[in-house]
Amino acid sequence: MLQSDKLLEVQNLRVTYRFEDKKIRAVDDVSFSIREGDRFAIVGESGSGKSTLGLSIVRLCPGEASGSVRLNGIDILKLSQEELRKLRGSDISVVFQDPSSALNPVLRIGDQLIEVFTTHGYDKTEAYTRSAKLLETVGIPEPEKRLMSYPHQLSGGMKQRVIIAMAIALNPKLVIADEPTSALDVTIQAQILKLIKELSETKKLSMILITHDIGVAAEVCNEIGIMYAGRMLEIGTFEDVFHNPKHPYTQSLMTCVPKGLKCVLKPLPGNVPDMSNLPSGCKFHPRCPYANDKCKTIEPKLEKADGRYVACHAVW
Amino acid sequence: MNTLARELVKSKMVLASIIILLSFIFMALFADFLAPYSPIESDLSISNKPPSWEHPFGTDELGRDILSRVIHGAKLTLTISFAATAIGALVGIIVGILSGFYGRAVDTITQRFTDVLLALPGFLLAVMFVAIMGNNLATVIASVALSLVPSYIRMSRGLTLQVKELEYVLAAKQLGVSNIKIMTRHIIPNISPTLIAQITLNLGTAILFASGLGFLGIGVPPPQPEWGTMLGTGRTYMFYAPHLIIFPGLAVFLVVFSFNKIGDRIGEVIASK
Amino acid sequence: MIRLIPGDPARVLAGLMASEEDVELIREQLGLNKPLYVQPFTYMANLFTFNLGVSARTDSPVLYEVMARLPNTLALALSSTALAVALGVPLGVFAASRKSSKIDTLVSTFSIVGISLPTYWLGLIMITVFAVELHLLPAGGYGTPAHFVLPTITIALFLMAFIVKITKASVIDSMEKEYVVTARSKGLTERVILYKHILRNALIPVVTIIGLQFGSLLGGAVITETIYAWPGLGRLIIDAINNRDYPMVQGSIFIFALLYALVNLVTDLIYTIVDPRVRLG
């Protein structure tokens, strides 16, 4: 097997949802890659397809996916169900948005944490000791007692710590965090974000962080991809994209400069596009201040410019 | 409503159910023209005759034509079903809405009243009612209605409690819109879809209850051709004249099945929205 | 209220040939000569001591007769609930896991047929087929396990159809929950996801419904017990109504209501066991 320095390589990924007679392409021709140790932020408004993209990497999305998603050269989209099952939770794990609905309400925290180990071959006693230790790692006091608790007996922040514990349990090669803080109270958000940042540094986690909040991405990530209407519009290092955005859409996002963790968004003219009825050409052109005739007809491709990739006719 | 109708017709089984129901309603409306014989007059010389060309469903223990009795029975059964469900639903929904909307004392009183009704299983409540009040068409309707009331109270009360807290209802209240208007304009339209599914299902339950009473001999009294009553009396002769029980029972099953199938589908369509 | 049933119980008890004095004597024994408005209060006071009076027809204590019949009713209710749960829950889960397939449609249709079949009709037909034509099973009565078969199936079919419907809906509902995606993301097998994560949640409402249905099943006993000449409480009530035996009607209804309340209480208790969220109140 060819050993590249790329941990994850996504190529021409398309995800289509079917509703009776309608088809919606939530992710369209997306390509990007992550090296080991990268923390890649996927930033976009709600409905931009960023969660679909994130979950499709481990095929947790009900939509049909085409293209390729290679982890260390192995195409996840081609794995058998059993191979996929073995990969999930051990090689790639997920942190979900709302810890209240992501945890099973009728099972003890212990049951839900221990099964991550047991399903991947650990025996029960070892799974138990490791689970208790893990709760301590994510900052949950009295771990042995908490293992016996039910989710409703924990606060939202504690529940999210449990979800994070599950995600890092088997030292995965990649963690996909889907809006890990947006369902939480503001003060708790900061704590969870701090935990994620610490863990990603101490454990050298590679991570995809999906968020609508540039401030959150700024805390954790070194790479960033900007999504709009199912497409990647700009991909580069966080430094470049953040301080010197090229795509007009990225520029409009960056004008909402973070104040601490708060981010005041400057409203764009027009609306988030209707995914079942997308405009022709560049999907952003109806809202773009620089749009020209070419933008209305020909969809721009991601091209290298100034140290990052941008999909825009108007930048040069 | 139009889309609901279209959704209903999509399924063949639901369409079949609608056709079955319409034909029974047709039978009920034109029973006098459709029935070949009188449902009441007896002729003992031809009692318990198996199905033949003259009497396609055979004759009963008093020589009456069973086909004619089943046709006329549709009138009784559907009357009971619609009347009992309408009364039960109307009373239950009004009480439930008032109870949910006003709360406090009104709620406490209606809740205790519901508890009393719920002290016995529904069918047994109906049995006790006719046992006390005597059995005739009116008391059978009333008893079935009574047994349906508590579920409507519970349901519409619960739904009202939810709708009451919706922002625009609260806003309407702040603006000084009268309670009656809030209930008729906001609460009833909001809770009616769920109730419609329930009502359709209960039309079937009402028939099962009413003819169950008839079967026990405490329903609509003979010589009325109520299907359950026919089954109850036919039971004595069923060992050598099974046609006495086959046809009335089949009629009950078909109508109840149709109501259930349609009600089920309505529920599904509403839930998917 | 039951005193309003037309017909004089004292006369029924005394029989057709009794003299007016005999009737009067019986009336006095039963307390029927007291003013109508006093009777309910004396009766209620007696209820607290489980003194349900004596049957107006057989002269034996009501409580004794009711208690003699109660186990028969319970036995039938339990056997049919057991059968309905044993078949209905797996069938509902199966239909849910093959949603929209031919099997699912078949199971759903069967379930609507089951809840639409009038028990009394089904009972009569089963008697005709299995007892009269095939001579396989007794047509009615009580005593041997064979006597249980037809009444149990008759009752169970309705309940099972209902359980199938509820189970299917509940499982489908749980399948769409986010914790299922979480479970999948951990790399659990679909088997574990279904049995551990989905079913634990989906069966909570099913347990409640079974409890409530067990209650109405007791109400349906009046019909099944009549069809199969089953010596239970339901039959006792119908006979008592037809005989205008008010003490018996009142007594058995009282016990019935107690039993019903008990069943509902047990259902609530079970609910707190299966759902950890209500355990601590």
Side-chain angles (χ1 to χ4, degrees), chain C residues 186-236:
Chain C
K186 294 186 214 171
L188 301 180
T189 59
E190 287 300 315
R191 228 183 118 76
V192 173
I193 294 174
L194 179 65
Y195 287 104
K196 189 170 171 186
H197 285 265
I198 296 175
L199 284 193
R200 285 270 185 101
N201 281 279
L203 293 186
I204 291 170
V206 176
V207 168
T208 316
I209 299 278
I210 291 172
L212 294 176
Q213 281 299 311
F214 187 80
S216 1
L217 205 117
L218 294 172
V222 289
I223 285 180
T224 6
E225 291 179 1
T226 303
I227 302 173
Y228 291 105
W230 190 266
L233 207 47
R235 181 95 189 289
L236 186 69

Side-chain angles (χ1 to χ4, degrees), chain C residues 31 37 63 71 87 114 118 138 158 173 203 221 249 274:
Chain C
Y37 59 85
L63 187 66
L87 296 176
F158 176 87
D173 189 54
L203 293 186
V249 175
V274 291

Side-chain angles (χ1 to χ4, degrees), chain A residues 206-309:
Chain A
S206 309
M207 181 155 66
I208 292 178
L209 180 77
I210 298 157
T211 178
H212 64 279
D213 188 339
I214 302 263
V216 169
E219 285 289 306
V220 184
C221 297
N222 62 331
E223 299 269 325
I224 187 168
I226 307 290
M227 263 192 105
Y228 187 83
R231 282 122 177 108
M232 282 285 186
L233 298 187
E234 188 162 358
I235 301 175
T237 65
F238 194 84
E239 286 296 298
D240 287 343
V241 177
F242 185 67
H243 294 294
N244 184 18
K246 286 287 174 203
H247 196 287
Y249 178 65
T250 320
Q251 288 169 359
S252 76
L253 283 180
M254 298 307 167
T255 44
C256 79
V257 182
K259 283 184 184 167
L261 277 176
K262 281 273 185 186
C263 169
V264 191
L265 212 93
K266 193 182 110 187
L268 273 170
N271 294 318
V272 180
D274 173 7
M275 293 300 289
S276 61
N277 185 21
L278 285 174
S280 60
C282 173
K283 304 309 164 206
F284 185 60
H285 84 255
R287 301 168 82 184
C288 181
Y290 311 107
N292 55 35
D293 286 347
K294 196 178 173 192
C295 301
K296 286 177 192 161
T297 50
I298 302 165
E299 183 161 9
K301 287 199 161 61
L302 268 178
E303 275 170 69
K304 202 154 189 161
D306 210 0
R308 90 283 311 263
Y309 291 89

Side-chain angles (χ1 to χ4, degrees), chain B residues 118-119 211 235 245 260 264, chain C residues 116 120-121 132 165 226 253 260:
Chain B
L118 288 174
S211 52
R235 197 182 146 220
I245 56 155
N260 279 337
D264 230 39
Chain C
S116 307
Y120 33 92
W121 188 52
V132 182
K165 195 175 143 170
T226 303
I253 284 288
Y260 191 52

Side-chain angles (χ1 to χ4, degrees), chain C residues 14-220:
Chain C
L16 277 176
M17 309 304 279
S19 67
E20 205 51 41
E21 288 82 53
D22 289 340
V23 175
E24 202 51 47
L25 190 69
I26 288 166
R27 205 168 273 155
E28 202 167 311
Q29 279 172 357
L30 296 177
L32 290 170
N33 56 344
K34 292 195 185 118
L36 207 57
Y37 59 85
V38 178
Q39 290 177 24
F41 293 105
T42 12
Y43 186 76
M44 268 207 266
N46 284 335
L47 281 188
F48 284 104
T49 54
F50 277 95
N51 177 0
L52 302 178
V54 292
S55 162
R57 196 171 167 80
T58 60
D59 245 353
S60 59
V62 168
L63 187 66
Y64 172 80
E65 293 237 353
V66 167
M67 284 310 174
R69 301 284 194 107
L70 187 60
N72 299 348
T73 295
L74 283 179
L76 191 54
L78 287 173
S79 68
S80 38
T81 306
L83 180 67
V85 172
L87 296 176
V89 170
L91 213 55
V93 174
F94 186 70
S97 64
R98 304 240 183 330
K99 199 182 156 195
S100 306
S101 70
K102 281 215 172 99
I103 292 172
D104 173 28
T105 324
L106 201 72
V107 171
S108 301
T109 307
F110 158 78
S111 125
I112 296 189
V113 169
I115 57 171
S116 307
L117 272 175
T119 354
Y120 33 92
W121 188 52
L122 177 69
L124 296 183
I125 288 186
M126 291 218 299
I127 290 176
T128 316
V129 175
F130 294 104
V132 182
E133 298 296 329
L134 301 176
H135 298 288
L136 282 177
L137 293 159
Y142 181 79
T144 67
H147 284 102
F148 268 91
V149 178
L150 289 183
T152 300
I153 293 175
T154 308
I155 303 175
L157 190 77
F158 176 87
L159 187 58
M160 174 182 153
F162 199 75
I163 292 176
V164 166
K165 195 175 143 170
I166 300 289
T167 307
K168 187 190 148 192
S170 184
V171 169
I172 288 178
D173 189 54
S174 295
M175 277 175 170
E176 284 158 6
K177 290 278 161 61
E178 212 173 300
Y179 53 74
V180 176
V181 185
T182 311
R184 214 160 266 147
S185 83
K186 294 186 214 171
L188 301 180
T189 59
E190 287 300 315
R191 228 183 118 76
V192 173
I193 294 174
L194 179 65
Y195 287 104
K196 189 170 171 186
H197 285 265
I198 296 175
L199 284 193
R200 285 270 185 101
N201 281 279
L203 293 186
I204 291 170
V206 176
V207 168
T208 316
I209 299 278
I210 291 172
L212 294 176
Q213 281 299 311
F214 187 80
S216 1
L217 205 117
L218 294 172

